[in-house]
Amino acid sequence: MDDNRKVTIAVIARLAGVSVPTVSRVINGRSDVSPQTRERVEELLTRHGYRRRPPSMRTSSGLIDLVFNDLDSPWAVEIIRGVEDVAHAAGIGTVVSAIHRRTSAAKQWLENMRARSTEGVIFVTSTLEPPLQAELRRLNIPVVIVDAAGVPPQEAPTIGATNWAGALRATEYLIGLGHTRIGFIAGPPQLMCSRARVDGYRAALEAGGIAIDDKLVHPGNFYHEAGFSGGTRLLQLPDPPTAIFASSDQMALGVYEAIRRRGLRVADDVSVVGFDDLPEVRWCSPPLTTVRQPLAEMGLLAARTVLRLAQGEKIESPRVELTTELVVRDSAAPPRS
């Protein structure tokens, strides 16, 4: 071939069995490519007559796309922090996008992503629709998913936390304090992490010999308002719970407000436990007992994984769950006798 228009980087990537960013790194003389991969790509570039642009005309490569449904939660900041740490150390940039669960926004993001040299994509609590999966596969762009919604594609590594074990431990802690009526405010049912937390709560009750009362389980969405409305309804029950386990810290703080508005006090009258361990919950009054979810570490591992995939490495384990930990502070106490 004597014209670059007849061969594209995407074609070379497909023939070499690597990602588009890997070919871009070879063309730009980057050192972070294995010798075997570099040799294979160089041979294909030569065979197909690909003419490199002069250095002054080359597009810089080195970006990670980080895609959220929404960016209005403090836990998103923690994940971004982890991704940024890895990106900064690798000398590459991070592009953060929110698609707001809209097909039009996802299409626009895809168009924007095609126009830049992306090493890989990290999706957070997102569902990868088949057309989007197919296009990313066609472009040989590696994908990693954090806290998958639904069943993720088999080829996409996922990063999560031990949500079931964390919810089990939190509920066991409340039972150990003497609580037998424990309210639970769930997260979005489409998220696997939400379902795991509900299951952990139920498993702890069953193991403790406590009958599961569906009236004590309230739907939520991880945000303050759902915690407030769920807490209000639980406290209005004829036989209200003596403790409430909210499956996110933001909802737990909403429960705090529900308790306050009823003239009650957290811990003294109603115990509260959250999930996430966001930085601000140690400063609320009283400081929140919660399950620490290693959010920054999840972002860090996702970024490391997507960069390894971009370099053509194989991932040892496609499903990784980082350990959660109960952090005991002052928001839970034995029930009043």
Side-chain angles (χ1 to χ4, degrees):
M1 293 184 182
D2 59 359
D3 192 328
N4 277 354
R5 288 176 297 177
K6 296 180 180 179
V7 62
T8 66
I9 290 179
V11 170
I12 297 296
R14 186 168 64 252
L15 292 171
V18 298
S19 68
V20 170
T22 297
V23 177
S24 179
R25 284 198 294 274
V26 172
I27 291 172
N28 286 301
R30 291 261 298 269
S31 61
D32 51 345
V33 181
S34 69
Q36 298 89 342
T37 299
R38 183 182 300 280
E39 183 179 351
R40 185 163 71 252
V41 171
E42 289 282 10
E43 190 274 328
L44 286 165
L45 290 168
T46 301
R47 185 196 310 171
H48 292 284
Y50 187 92
R51 292 181 299 176
R52 290 170 168 82
R53 294 177 179 179
S56 61
M57 295 177 62
R58 289 181 192 165
T59 317
S60 64
S61 82
L63 291 171
I64 294 176
D65 265 83
L66 179 56
V67 183
F68 293 85
N69 278 323
D70 298 291
L71 280 170
D72 54 355
S73 172
W75 63 261
V77 175
E78 294 299 300
I79 291 175
I80 292 170
R81 186 162 60 85
V83 172
E84 278 283 306
D85 284 348
V86 172
H88 179 74
I92 62 178
T94 306
V95 179
V96 181
S97 305
I99 56 177
H100 307 292
R101 298 176 180 82
R102 294 198 302 264
T103 302
S104 59
K107 287 181 178 178
Q108 184 60 57
W109 168 79
L110 187 59
E111 288 298 318
N112 294 340
M113 190 271 299
R114 284 196 193 101
R116 52 183 174 258
S117 182
T118 296
E119 303 280 342
V121 183
I122 300 170
F123 288 100
V124 184
T125 63
S126 300
T127 301
L128 266 68
E129 299 297 338
L132 184 56
Q133 291 181 41
E135 180 62 11
L136 291 169
R137 195 179 299 117
R138 188 186 71 80
L139 294 170
N140 283 322
I141 303 266
V143 171
V144 173
I145 302 173
V146 176
D147 271 346
V151 179
Q154 276 193 326
E155 68 272 17
T158 61
I159 311 295
T162 53
N163 291 285
W164 184 89
L168 178 85
R169 180 70 187 92
T171 310
E172 286 178 337
Y173 174 70
L174 291 170
I175 294 171
L177 289 175
H179 296 279
T180 57
R181 286 190 63 75
I182 302 170
F184 182 81
I185 304 178
Q190 70 272 20
L191 296 184
M192 295 180 73
C193 62
S194 297
R195 299 199 293 270
R197 292 173 199 178
V198 174
D199 290 344
Y201 160 79
R202 291 178 177 272
L205 293 180
E206 290 175 353
I210 299 172
I212 295 172
D213 184 348
D214 289 336
K215 292 192 296 294
L216 293 179
V217 179
H218 197 276
N221 59 10
F222 288 160
Y223 293 100
H224 295 97
E225 295 81 3
F228 174 71
S229 62
T232 299
R233 292 188 183 184
L234 288 170
L235 294 173
Q236 288 173 342
L237 291 172
D239 187 9
T242 59
I244 297 175
F245 175 23
S247 56
S248 79
D249 284 351
Q250 285 184 280
M251 292 198 300
L253 296 182
V255 172
Y256 269 39
E257 181 62 11
I259 292 171
R260 186 191 70 80
R261 291 200 187 184
R262 290 188 67 81
L264 302 173
R265 292 176 297 179
V266 174
D268 290 342
D269 300 302
V270 184
S271 291
V272 180
V273 173
F275 202 112
D276 284 329
D277 196 28
L278 297 176
E280 61 265 32
V281 300
R282 70 191 65 182
W283 303 108
C284 61
S285 182
L288 179 67
T289 293
T290 187
V291 177
R292 181 178 183 271
Q293 182 176 204
L295 295 165
E297 291 91 334
M298 289 161 65
L300 183 146
L301 181 57
R304 285 179 177 168
T305 301
V306 85
L307 290 181
R308 288 183 60 193
L309 290 171
Q311 293 171 27
E313 294 184 32
K314 291 189 180 296
I315 303 301
E316 297 82 8
S317 177
R319 306 286 182 261
V320 177
E321 287 190 344
L322 301 183
T323 303
T324 53
E325 174 190 3
L326 182 68
V327 180
V328 176
R329 297 192 180 99
D330 301 328
S331 64
R336 288 187 170 183
S337 53

